[in-house]
Amino acid sequence: MSEELLQNEAATEETTPEETKPEEATPEETMADLEEHFDDANPWNLVKDYMEKGTILPVKVEGIVNGGAIAMVEGLRGFIPASKLSLSYIEDLETYLLKDIEVRVIDVNQAENRLVLSAREILKEKAKKEMEEKIANVKVGTVMEGKVESLQNYGAFVRLEDGLSGLVHVSQISQKRVKSPKDVLNVGDEVKVKVIGIKDGKISLSMKALEEVVRDEPEEKVVIPKSESIGTSLGDLFKNIKL
């Protein structure tokens, strides 16, 4: 091939336009879109959404104030009342400082700059679930030991192992008739009980079921004398009587 022909082909390749795909048009962001993004980024809207959904939030207690504790959520200062920190009374709130806990948002007011958090509801749910699991493992017929924790007119509540509690109905205290549990039991008494029923998360107990069967008192035997003996006795009575 001649040098002139090669130069012509090279020139043709250089001048041939490349095929290009048309660029897709990008939709322009509207003000409504920008406002929506702004709302999503607003921490007050975020914590309000957490409250509505009941979201569980892991937080760290960063400060102790009068009547409660402080934790940060989405950069906002949240207040946890002392009554919402635990299921029981807290002697010293300082023991919660820098402690990691789980909370829910229970009150939001941006106008008043108020954000209130609570751990109590989450703790109650966990405690309830744990108790249900413990009760599910208890079998009817099980014999257990416990301590009388309270007395009512209708029966005695007994504290069992694993933090469980059950009721000994007054009719299940003894085979003998018991008018009031206070007549035979005292708070703090150690008792042995038998599980006789489980319903709706409540445990029914019996002390009576563990008592030995009370035997009936032996019947007094009445000896009836024979008719001859009766006649003889009557004859003896009248033999000295003169008519």
Side-chain angles (χ1 to χ4, degrees):
M1 185 179 293
S2 65
E3 186 177 345
E4 184 179 355
L5 183 58
L6 289 172
Q7 289 176 353
N8 290 337
E9 287 182 358
T12 304
E13 289 177 0
E14 289 176 1
T15 55
T16 303
E18 296 181 359
E19 294 183 0
T20 56
K21 294 181 181 180
E23 294 184 1
E24 296 180 1
T26 42
E28 294 183 2
E29 259 189 331
T30 64
M31 284 302 296
D33 294 327
L34 293 173
E35 289 175 1
E36 186 177 341
H37 293 323
F38 176 76
D39 288 342
D40 290 341
N42 184 346
W44 287 102
N45 288 338
L46 289 174
V47 293
K48 185 177 180 181
D49 186 59
Y50 293 154
M51 180 178 68
E52 292 171 351
K53 293 179 178 178
T55 305
I56 295 176
L57 305 168
V59 298
K60 183 185 290 291
V61 176
E62 299 187 9
I64 301 297
V65 294
N66 186 27
I70 299 298
M72 303 301 291
V73 177
E74 298 295 345
L76 300 175
R77 186 174 183 268
F79 175 64
I80 312 170
S83 61
K84 298 293 186 180
L85 267 173
S86 173
L87 293 177
S88 57
Y89 175 74
I90 301 172
E91 186 91 19
D92 183 8
L93 285 176
E94 292 290 339
T95 59
Y96 273 76
L97 187 61
L98 301 181
K99 188 174 182 179
D100 292 314
I101 61 174
E102 292 181 329
V103 297
R104 280 198 181 106
V105 178
I106 59 172
D107 188 22
V108 177
N109 190 320
Q110 182 176 359
E112 297 181 10
N113 198 34
R114 184 173 71 244
L115 173 61
V116 184
L117 312 172
S118 173
R120 185 178 177 85
E121 286 72 17
I122 300 171
L123 295 174
K124 283 176 68 175
E125 290 168 8
K126 287 184 176 180
K128 182 181 178 182
K129 186 176 180 180
E130 289 175 4
M131 187 61 67
E132 288 173 348
E133 290 174 353
K134 289 178 181 179
I135 292 175
N137 291 326
V138 176
K139 306 299 181 185
V140 173
T142 304
V143 176
M144 310 173 78
E145 292 186 355
K147 182 180 290 187
V148 177
E149 60 180 351
S150 70
L151 295 170
Q152 307 297 331
N153 292 333
Y154 51 84
F157 284 96
V158 177
R159 174 66 61 178
L160 305 170
E161 59 191 36
D162 262 348
L164 296 174
S165 181
L167 172 67
V168 181
H169 190 267
V170 65
S171 64
Q172 292 295 326
I173 291 177
S174 175
Q175 292 185 37
K176 296 178 181 179
R177 181 176 175 80
V178 177
K179 291 184 179 180
S180 171
K182 296 179 182 179
D183 294 340
V184 293
L185 292 172
N186 296 298
V187 173
D189 284 354
E190 299 282 349
V191 295
K192 185 175 285 188
V193 293
K194 183 176 182 179
V195 179
I196 59 173
I198 301 173
K199 185 178 181 181
D200 298 331
K202 297 177 181 178
I203 302 174
S204 297
L205 305 170
S206 175
M207 295 168 58
K208 180 174 76 173
L210 298 176
E211 290 182 351
E212 292 184 8
V213 177
V214 178
R215 296 177 180 176
D216 294 332
E217 294 182 2
E219 294 183 3
E220 184 179 350
K221 292 183 179 180
V222 178
V223 179
I224 301 175
K226 295 179 180 180
S227 57
E228 294 83 357
S229 300
I230 297 174
T232 303
S233 298
L234 290 174
D236 292 340
L237 288 172
F238 290 106
K239 66 181 180 180
N240 296 322
I241 298 176
K242 295 181 181 180
L243 296 175

